Amino acid sequence: SQQGEEDPQALSIQEGENATMNCSYKTSINNLQWYRQNSGRGLVHLILIRSNEREKHSGRLRVTLDTSKKSSSLLITASRAADTASYFCATDAIGTGANNLFFGTGTRLTVIP
Amino acid sequence: DGGITQSPKYLFRKEGQNVTLSCEQNLNHDAMYWYRQDPGQGLRLIYYSQIVNDFQKGDIAEGYSVSREKKESFPLTVTSAQKNPTAFYLCASSIQGRGDTQYFGPGTRLTVL
């Protein structure tokens, strides 16, 4: 399967702390994206990082990409209770012949007020 | 408002019945997707369509059917051949497919009674 895997599966932190979640994937990629899903809702796109980029920032989000290790990390700084959600990575895999993204299994983040 | 809508939000089906889930977008996107999400799981691709009157099977197409007669609409039918249809169904669209950012609807929760 091309599906990525997030680590950890679940993460619980205090408000104000930083949250880091990781994504590993199996094949070469064109880009990697992170999405957020609140319970019972659709996914919302957070950030896209291309294979030739190593780091990208958006507000309190910082994403890194290491193509040699086939891994990415998402850092949320100064977390808030409203950040409580599941976070998914999705890859645009090269050479699969598919025209879709491959989603990981998600990290469930709980931010305790 | 531009966006992607799904209806109904909740759907109950008796065993042996076919049901159709609606997905409409006014984003002028060419590509549309259907995913299935089971509790605590990632997204699995059912079908996707890159252009009107064309669609491809995803990883778990058995027991499902789709049509793409209009650019704006991509309905999913869950047939009686789908043995375990209880799940959360998400529709998404993207500008052209091929690794583009995907925009998701709010989802439909299907329960088989």
Side-chain angles (χ1 to χ4, degrees):
Chain A
S1 168
Q2 309 298 331
Q3 191 178 48
E5 289 188 8
E6 283 90 342
D7 172 61
Q9 289 187 336
L11 179 62
S12 184
I13 60 173
Q14 295 289 329
E15 199 166 31
E17 293 180 339
N18 295 343
T20 299
M21 50 205 88
N22 304 295
C23 169
S24 60
Y25 56 91
K26 296 181 180 178
T27 65
S28 297
I29 61 172
N30 289 311
N31 69 60
L32 184 144
Q33 303 177 34
W34 285 91
Y35 289 78
R36 165 197 169 119
Q37 183 183 33
N38 285 59
S39 182
R41 311 288 285 274
L43 278 70
V44 174
H45 179 258
L46 296 175
I47 197 165
L48 180 153
I49 186 165
R50 301 193 186 282
S51 60
N52 61 352
E53 298 175 308
R54 291 297 166 258
E55 187 170 314
K56 204 161 183 180
H57 297 254
S58 177
R60 293 184 296 112
L61 305 180
R62 173 178 168 252
V63 169
T64 62
L65 179 64
D66 187 336
T67 53
S68 65
K69 295 182 179 179
K70 292 187 170 57
S71 68
S72 174
S73 67
L74 171 66
L75 168 68
I76 303 174
T77 60
S79 64
R80 306 166 181 169
D83 294 328
T84 294
S86 292
Y87 293 82
F88 295 89
C89 67
T91 54
D92 173 19
I94 294 173
T96 62
N99 292 306
N100 56 278
L101 297 175
F102 294 94
F103 284 83
T105 51
T107 291
R108 173 70 188 168
L109 173 65
T110 302
V111 181
I112 303 167
Chain B
D1 282 340
I4 181 164
T5 58
Q6 292 184 241
S7 62
K9 187 174 177 64
Y10 298 97
L11 186 58
F12 298 90
R13 187 194 96 172
K14 293 182 180 179
E15 284 192 18
Q17 285 182 335
N18 293 354
V19 290
T20 297
L21 283 59
S22 170
C23 178
E24 303 277 334
Q25 54 98 1
N26 62 3
L27 300 168
N28 199 32
H29 286 173
D30 284 326
M32 297 187 75
Y33 311 82
W34 274 106
Y35 294 93
R36 170 181 172 139
Q37 186 177 33
D38 293 283
Q41 302 287 314
L43 276 65
R44 291 187 289 169
L45 183 68
I46 304 173
Y47 270 98
Y48 67 98
S49 167
Q50 285 198 281
I51 197 168
V52 173
N53 293 323
D54 186 53
F55 47 83
Q56 287 81 41
K57 293 182 179 179
D59 298 325
I60 56 165
E62 185 175 350
Y64 301 97
S65 66
V66 293
S67 64
R68 187 85 187 276
E69 297 177 0
K70 298 187 300 182
K71 187 175 185 177
E72 302 80 17
S73 179
F74 191 40
L76 173 73
T77 297
V78 184
T79 74
S80 56
Q82 170 50 237
K83 298 306 178 189
N84 185 23
T86 294
F88 189 51
Y89 290 88
L90 287 161
C91 180
S93 70
S94 66
I95 293 174
Q96 289 185 322
R98 188 59 269 181
D100 288 342
T101 295
Q102 294 187 10
Y103 297 81
F104 284 79
T108 292
R109 187 167 299 281
L110 172 64
T111 303
V112 174
L113 303 173

